Amino acid sequence: MTTEIAFASRYDLRVKLVRDVLKENTKLSDTACQALAVQLLHTMDTIPEQMR
């Protein structure tokens, strides 16, 4: 019996988390939530650590 395990990077997991929060709390489409999640994470990742 073999099982396939799909690899998900930490970044992918973070995008999914943000996307799910956006989907639950807005009326945006799945595509819009995905795009906004990527933009939000990129913005947060570029903020210097001392300012976070």
Side-chain angles (χ1 to χ4, degrees), residues 31-44:
T31 306
C33 287
Q34 177 73 22
L36 188 54
V38 170
Q39 286 181 315
L40 286 168
L41 283 176
H42 174 72
T43 301
M44 289 190 305

Side-chain angles (χ1 to χ4, degrees), residues 18-29 32-33 36:
V18 174
R19 184 192 67 216
D20 291 346
V21 169
L22 289 170
K23 283 171 58 175
E24 289 177 13
N25 295 292
T26 67
K27 295 180 180 179
L28 297 172
S29 68
C33 287
L36 188 54

Side-chain angles (χ1 to χ4, degrees), residues 1-34:
M1 179 174 152
T2 60
T3 58
E4 283 191 39
I5 299 174
F7 175 75
S9 69
R10 282 195 232 177
Y11 177 76
D12 291 336
L13 296 174
R14 291 172 66 209
V15 169
K16 182 183 180 314
L17 177 66
V18 174
R19 184 192 67 216
D20 291 346
V21 169
L22 289 170
K23 283 171 58 175
E24 289 177 13
N25 295 292
T26 67
K27 295 180 180 179
L28 297 172
S29 68
D30 291 345
T31 306
C33 287
Q34 177 73 22

